[in-house]
Amino acid sequence: KKGHAAILACMERSIDFYPDAFINYLNKMLDNSSKTVTREPSLRAAVIQVLRHIISRPALEPRLKPYKDHLIATIKLAQGDTDWRVRCAIASCVVAMGSSSIRFFDSVGGHDLLTFIVKSAAITEASPGAEELRDSARNTLALFSTGGRLDAFLWPFLLEHFHEHTAQPGLLTALPTIARCLVQIASRVSQSDAYYVDFGVSVNVPKPHQLAAKLMVQAMQVDSAVYSNEELHTILEAMM
């Protein structure tokens, strides 16, 4: 553990003095576009964990802030990876971004990382890696929806995923989690102008009648094994 901590401390110093070179190096380690060089998933996961570590260090935030777009672009290089270790590392990195005072999610690609979390929360595969990622993603959404720090990024962004479930039915398994988050966020923003959605700008957000219909259809799945009674109650609460 001491050796691991010492290595991370060295990396902190490196990015403090040579941020361009350091981030470019990590970028190359994650870039699998080369046909001649293929990085092992364990190495790619380790690189993302290094990114998570430096993003989570408050002392480095002033140094990292000018590079937030570059950092997001670097992490997105691994977003399509199928290895569970890599995907779980990405999820932990997104948590670090959400906890940082740097506004990562309003950068280009920031919403893509949030979408990665939403889709990960809908995973149905029964394997240790899949279940770890799904649970991590659902816990991340629950964390992000508390406190109000990320309300501006999540509202009305989370509503967009009710439009997507027709093309991606698997998203329905994450519906209770999304509904629970929306209930919490709406309780805070309902008294402000941010509560009102400009559908001309947020074109991917379902109209109120469409949203109500989608929630009603799911709330009527009483006899199915899709949702528990508690989850159905959450969906009904989101309708209110």
Side-chain angles (χ1 to χ4, degrees), residues 171-188:
L171 281 176
L172 288 177
T173 59
L175 180 58
T177 299
I178 297 174
R180 191 175 299 111
C181 294
L182 289 171
V183 168
Q184 291 192 45
I185 296 170
S187 67
R188 291 190 295 269

Side-chain angles (χ1 to χ4, degrees), residues 161-162 164-166 168-176 179 210-239:
H161 296 86
F162 288 98
E164 292 186 19
H165 85 262
T166 303
Q168 303 178 57
L171 281 176
L172 288 177
T173 59
L175 180 58
Q210 295 173 322
L211 185 60
K214 291 174 186 289
L215 289 169
M216 179 64 76
V217 169
Q218 298 309 310
M220 293 175 67
Q221 306 295 318
V222 179
D223 296 326
S224 73
V226 178
Y227 307 118
S228 66
N229 289 336
E230 181 182 355
E231 289 173 334
L232 288 170
H233 181 270
T234 302
I235 294 171
L236 286 170
E237 189 176 3
M239 291 179 60

